[in-house]
Amino acid sequence: MAAATPKPVDAVIVGFGWAGSILAMELTEAGLNVVALERGQNRDTYPDFAYPKVIDELTYAVRGKLFQNLSRETVTIRHAPSDRAVPYRQFGAFNPGDGVGGAGAHWSGVHFRITPDELRLRSHYEERYGKGFIPDGMTVQDHGVTYDELEPFFDKAEKVFGTSGKANNINGTIVGGGNHFEGPRSDEYPLPPLKNVYSAELFAKASANLGYHPYPLPAANASGPYTNPYGAQMGPCNFCGYCGGFGCYMYSKASPNVNILPALRLKPNFELRANSHVLKVNLDGTGKRATGVTFVDAQGREIEQQADLVILSAFQFHNVRLMLLSGIGKPYDVASGEGTVGKNFAYQNMGTVKAFFGPDVHTNPFIGTGGGGQAIDDFNADNFDHGPLGFVGGSPCWVNQSGVKPIAGLALPEGTPKWGATWKKAAKDYYAHTLSADAHGSNMSYRDCFLDLDPTYRDIHGQPLLRMTFDWKENDIKMTRYVVGKLTEILKSMNPKEVSVSVKKFGDHFDVRNYQTTHLVGGAIMGADPRTSAVNKFLQSWDVPNVFVIGSSAFPQGTGYNPTGMMAALAYFSAHAIRTDYLKSPGPLVPV
Amino acid sequence: MSSSGKSLDRRDFLRGSLGALPVALGAGMAVGGPGAAAEPPAYRPKFFIAEEWAFLRAAVDRLIPPDAEGPGAVESGVPEFIDRQMDTPYAQGALWYMQGPFYEAPPELGYQMKFTPRDIYRLGIAATDRWVHDNKGGKRFAELDAATQDDLLSQMEGKKIEFPDIPANLFFGMLLENTKEGYFSDPIHGGNKQMGGWKMIGFPGARADFMDWVDQYGKPYPIGPVGISGTRG
């Protein structure tokens, strides 16, 4: 029950992953008194990610030590508004984090921007292919912000993350060596690309031979020693292969813990409170102004933290849930299509192709780095003519060998039994001779794919769980089948013994049982119009202007790329607007 | 999916499922199915009782049998691994959202039953042995020959047979998953003895430093595995 009320602060930050740590840094730099509340435990490289105990596939990647504890809180899922949703009881398709660093502690490190086309997806497709090209029920929107506006913040995020990569286009000048299709960059990457593992080398050669444009994946895994603008230091990645699902023992993978917290924790106007679970944002009598948040502390006490500014920076779906639980904005209503909070929930659309070689080709798949590899963008975004294909979206394709570990990662040719002597022989014959490539596709948003509060299931605090209504649609399956076909041709050209293709079939339903990605987006989307977006382009709530909602919750649809780099740039863009304009005159940054 | 409604208390389990069967096997006794290899110094199970332990040893050694390619599951300590896992929050269902109501749902929406891994083993082993008793002349699973064991496991995997108290393929799936975990996880967890699973496929375990081999394109990695505790293979 109610306990002591702590001193009011200028800003309270809810969730301490990438978004929360970026906002905390920016707002303390601006001189504000900032308290960050993180529901999970404190974590740091030492002792939590130290060698050798972190090199344990069972404990981390399989049992999910760094993932959200589902016994306390999860989501419910259904395929259609007419279905009954049931809980996501065990980890499968996605692995949100908790604890200091959030999913930013256990991510892999692929660090993209966004393609300029995808920022204005609806306008772009309508201009190039005509108004009728986007099918009914597909509710894709423009982000309401341009690539040029975001560019300085993409650049800033790369410098903070110590990202390894190669520019191709610097201020419109083609310098070569990077992604042929990229938008113009103001600067090179802060570090050169990581070395290619053998599989990536094979992929780059094969795709170049077919006329495509391979480039090194931008990776927030340091290719050399690096000191970021905050003075935080990174060590060179040694390709240990324990990135996604693990903390990095080498200080090589960018994380809030390594890249921001060392500078932030020295600031006297900053306080981080772990084990502090926020229940809701409190609003004043008008419902138009937040007064702070109520949270449950480590001792189970309910405490009110007053603040002038509330930053929601939890994982994508937690941001949406907190808005719904707090009455911020109008909940989305699937029947009428009105309301914005929960609207346009979208995801990623993966296809995977594996090549199995004979005993003489050693791909050594255990050698890896989470963000490294070789990619092509020839079938991503609108880099290819969609007119005759009749679908919206695309997929970058890549070999992103991030360390294949045998419990979860061992893959065998199709038709191999799952046990017994034949399975065993195949495991021995193929493990070290396998190459895996992905088509990491976009996922469009739809009128009937959304988030709301579940009527039945509750979390450990008695609050309703968030309910996902989501399924795959024909457009997206068409897209992934087309691109996976192209990817399969690339792998077949390497002359492996066998190729296995994992791709969605028409009519396939969203399957939560197998990992896909943790790239969930939307539900608190950004835009130019308060009738169709929950936050403005500065990620400020249209309805409660002293609440900012930072995260991939702002994406109006799923992008071809991984979301973290885009999310980090939006966080810096939002923080910049708060520092330059909002603090001088608190109120709406975009007139309603 | 509704449950059996039965208590999973051990006494009920014995009375209801195995009380009529002769108890012939002591904990830690090496029995195993045909072809089971010699085990390292006897491990005394803490969760599984004698009859369950006999089943476990026999079944996992069919899932990963010993042969010239590499060690079998028993030789690798998989039964010990699974028994030790039973004493973790995972096996108690404490990592899963376990609040009801529990409904049957499309398989794509994932696990929707109220059983914890401990429950699944307790019910699944009893159900399998009961089925064998009723259909194979009063025997237990561990007493069947290897071909009959394989056939039964395949039927469980493919939902060709059903048990009254628990879906056969749910039990089979968990058994297979945990068997592979025990075969391929770090030896600190009790399985993968002498890192035999890792050596068979060429996985270097906790080596975790490959700067010298990233661009040695196409060459086999030359160093054997190392475990978290410092043991080398």
Side-chain angles (χ1 to χ4, degrees):
Chain A
M1 286 298 107
T5 304
K7 214 173 89 181
V9 292
D10 298 322
V12 64
I13 288 179
V14 181
F16 199 76
W18 275 121
S21 61
I22 288 170
L23 267 291
M25 192 70 193
E26 289 278 321
L27 298 181
T28 50
E29 279 181 353
L32 302 192
N33 286 313
V34 176
V35 162
L37 302 173
E38 164 54 46
R39 67 182 173 169
Q41 65 189 47
N42 230 323
R43 289 200 177 110
D44 214 339
T45 308
Y46 185 85
D48 302 287
F49 310 145
Y51 185 88
K53 84 167 182 186
V54 79
I55 307 299
D56 183 352
E57 185 190 8
L58 181 75
T59 299
Y60 290 86
V62 178
R63 297 283 184 261
K65 185 166 183 176
L66 302 182
F67 305 155
Q68 172 180 329
N69 184 341
L70 295 184
S71 74
R72 299 173 62 84
E73 178 188 335
T74 185
V75 293
T76 66
I77 307 178
R78 59 182 179 172
H79 290 128
S82 55
D83 296 348
R84 176 164 55 200
V86 291
Y88 181 63
R89 296 185 182 277
Q90 305 172 340
F91 282 113
F94 49 87
N95 299 331
D98 76 3
V100 168
H106 77 250
W107 73 316
S108 289
V110 177
H111 186 179
F112 275 110
R113 298 181 168 194
I114 189 174
T115 64
D117 296 350
E118 284 173 295
L119 275 177
R120 47 192 305 280
L121 190 83
R122 178 168 284 275
S123 299
H124 176 90
Y125 272 79
E126 289 182 350
E127 284 161 19
R128 182 167 173 188
Y129 301 110
K131 288 263 181 199
F133 193 80
I134 295 174
D136 284 346
M138 186 189 284
T139 50
V140 297
Q141 296 184 189
D142 296 357
H143 282 66
V145 65
T146 67
Y147 183 86
D148 289 345
E149 284 177 285
L150 288 179
E151 204 290 330
F153 305 97
F154 287 128
D155 182 68
K156 180 162 187 171
E158 287 161 2
K159 287 178 169 135
V160 170
F161 285 44
T163 302
S164 305
K166 180 69 190 77
N168 201 70
N169 176 343
I170 298 185
N171 295 316
T173 302
I174 303 305
V175 297
N179 179 6
H180 174 81
F181 299 97
E182 76 183 7
R185 304 167 50 86
S186 57
D187 201 357
E188 251 299 353
Y189 285 93
L191 287 170
L194 292 149
K195 286 181 177 179
N196 286 334
V197 298
Y198 187 39
S199 300
E201 189 76 5
L202 291 172
F203 179 79
K205 280 187 185 155
S207 46
N209 284 340
L210 290 171
Y212 304 132
H213 300 83
Y215 65 93
L217 270 174
N221 314 87
S223 61
Y226 183 70
T227 303
N228 81 2
Y230 301 141
Q233 296 185 321
M234 301 173 81
C237 169
N238 71 354
F239 290 76
C240 86
Y242 289 80
C243 304
F246 304 83
C248 177
Y249 81 90
M250 290 290 288
Y251 298 83
S252 305
K253 179 177 76 179
S255 66
N257 318 63
V258 168
N259 295 60
I260 296 180
L261 200 51
L264 185 57
R265 69 158 64 94
L266 302 177
K267 295 188 181 290
N269 52 337
F270 174 71
E271 185 192 346
L272 171 60
R273 293 187 204 139
N275 299 306
S276 299
H277 179 99
V278 172
L279 297 173
K280 63 173 179 157
V281 179
N282 300 315
L283 305 181
D284 71 6
T286 69
K288 299 285 179 198
R289 188 177 173 280
T291 59
V293 301
T294 297
F295 69 98
V296 179
D297 76 356
Q299 298 178 46
R301 298 177 301 182
E302 244 176 63
I303 296 175
E304 187 182 346
Q305 174 64 62
Q306 292 178 13
D308 292 331
L309 184 58
V310 175
I311 307 292
L312 297 183
S313 52
F315 188 75
Q316 174 260 347
F317 57 66
H318 298 303
N319 276 349
V320 179
R321 179 168 179 252
L322 278 167
M323 291 177 82
L324 292 168
L325 290 172
S326 310
I328 298 171
K330 187 175 173 188
Y332 176 68
D333 174 40
V334 65
S336 65
E338 288 173 10
T340 57
V341 181
K343 176 186 154 138
N344 280 25
F345 168 56
Y347 194 16
Q348 198 94 60
N349 182 9
M350 290 280 283
T352 297
V353 185
K354 291 181 193 290
F356 300 95
F357 293 94
D360 297 334
V361 180
H362 296 267
T363 57
N364 295 332
F366 45 85
I367 301 177
T369 178
Q374 284 278 326
I376 60 165
D377 260 23
D378 298 74
F379 303 105
N380 188 28
D382 195 31
N383 300 339
F384 56 114
D385 185 2
H386 285 73
L389 297 171
F391 60 75
V392 178
S395 311
C397 296
W398 57 54
V399 163
N400 167 223
Q401 184 170 296
S402 56
V404 180
K405 292 158 288 286
I407 298 172
L410 177 66
L412 299 173
E414 262 173 55
T416 307
K418 296 197 161 35
W419 53 279
T422 312
W423 168 83
K424 200 175 160 198
K425 175 152 183 16
K428 184 180 182 181
D429 287 349
Y430 287 115
Y431 168 70
H433 312 281
T434 302
L435 177 152
S436 183
D438 304 309
H440 187 268
S442 60
N443 173 228
M444 296 305 121
S445 42
Y446 297 90
R447 181 168 172 155
D448 59 356
C449 293
F450 63 99
L451 303 171
D452 64 358
L453 293 175
D454 190 274
T456 306
Y457 294 96
R458 290 178 180 265
D459 71 6
I460 198 169
H461 301 291
Q463 293 191 296
L465 297 185
L466 192 72
R467 176 169 64 178
M468 293 178 172
T469 304
F470 181 82
D471 210 351
W472 303 118
K473 304 288 185 180
E474 186 181 351
N475 172 83
D476 297 70
I477 294 180
K478 228 188 248 182
M479 185 281 289
T480 190
R481 293 187 67 81
Y482 175 75
V483 182
V484 167
K486 300 291 181 188
L487 179 60
T488 306
E489 288 169 11
I490 297 173
L491 266 65
K492 282 188 172 163
S493 78
M494 300 174 189
N495 294 314
K497 278 176 71 179
E498 303 215 32
V499 169
S500 289
V501 180
S502 168
V503 66
K504 293 175 188 78
K505 298 186 294 295
F506 290 104
D508 276 0
H509 292 291
F510 173 44
D511 191 332
V512 308
R513 293 170 296 180
N514 298 309
Y515 187 71
Q516 181 176 262
T517 70
T518 305
H519 307 155
L520 305 165
V521 303
I525 64 176
M526 61 193 297
D529 182 345
R531 286 169 306 176
T532 55
S533 57
V535 296
N536 64 29
K537 71 179 190 181
F538 303 109
L539 309 191
Q540 179 182 35
S541 163
W542 289 110
D543 301 275
V544 185
N546 67 332
V547 173
F548 287 73
V549 187
I550 318 289
S552 63
S553 48
F555 299 10
Q557 52 272 333
T559 58
Y561 290 152
N562 312 50
T564 304
M566 169 65 179
M567 184 278 297
L570 285 176
Y572 278 114
F573 180 70
S574 172
H576 180 76
I578 294 171
R579 293 178 68 167
T580 352
D581 296 320
Y582 178 87
L583 291 177
K584 285 179 195 148
S585 171
L589 290 167
V590 178
V592 179
Chain B
M1 178 80 198
S2 69
S3 83
S4 66
K6 279 185 186 168
S7 162
L8 297 176
D9 178 86
R10 179 173 298 204
R11 282 167 303 175
D12 285 356
F13 165 83
L14 282 171
R15 190 165 54 241
S17 305
L18 280 171
L21 299 175
V23 176
L25 305 162
M29 277 176 66
V31 282
E39 201 192 2
Y43 168 82
R44 297 191 71 81
K46 293 174 185 63
F47 174 79
F48 294 107
I49 60 170
E51 297 78 9
E52 295 170 326
W53 188 242
F55 170 90
L56 192 65
R57 291 172 51 88
V60 300
D61 233 31
R62 294 318 305 155
L63 298 177
I64 307 182
D67 60 21
E69 307 290 345
V74 168
E75 185 183 348
S76 291
V78 168
E80 174 182 339
F81 167 84
I82 295 176
D83 187 67
R84 283 171 54 175
Q85 283 295 302
M86 291 300 108
D87 196 29
T88 64
Y90 156 74
Q92 291 152 13
L95 305 184
W96 300 346
Y97 183 82
M98 293 299 268
Q99 294 184 42
F102 294 86
Y103 293 113
E104 247 181 300
E108 292 91 345
L109 294 180
Y111 184 66
Q112 294 298 333
M113 300 188 74
K114 69 174 197 177
F115 300 133
T116 67
R118 284 176 163 218
D119 300 336
I120 292 169
Y121 276 99
R122 200 122 269 168
L123 289 169
I125 294 174
T128 312
D129 264 343
R130 168 59 61 190
W131 190 93
V132 172
H133 177 264
D134 292 347
N135 292 277
K136 302 286 176 188
K139 288 187 174 173
R140 294 173 186 285
F141 180 87
E143 294 165 344
L144 301 174
D145 63 56
T148 311
Q149 289 176 337
D150 284 355
D151 182 55
L152 177 53
L153 291 168
S154 292
Q155 291 189 58
M156 290 164 66
E157 179 183 29
K159 297 194 215 179
K160 302 274 170 51
I161 54 173
E162 273 308 344
F163 301 144
D165 290 349
I166 188 164
N169 73 324
L170 172 71
F171 171 50
F172 177 86
M174 171 149 287
L175 181 65
L176 179 60
E177 188 173 296
N178 291 152
T179 298
K180 290 181 182 176
E181 288 169 1
Y183 196 68
F184 286 133
S185 58
D186 193 279
I188 58 167
H189 299 292
N192 196 13
K193 304 278 186 204
Q194 285 84 48
M195 292 173 270
W198 289 351
K199 281 189 270 194
M200 182 182 81
I201 61 169
F203 179 69
R207 192 65 66 182
D209 179 5
F210 302 112
M211 273 313 265
D212 55 348
W213 219 259
V214 178
D215 45 10
Q216 301 278 334
Y217 291 156
K219 294 185 190 167
Y221 185 68
I223 311 173
V226 62
I228 288 172
S229 68
T231 51
R232 286 158 194 272

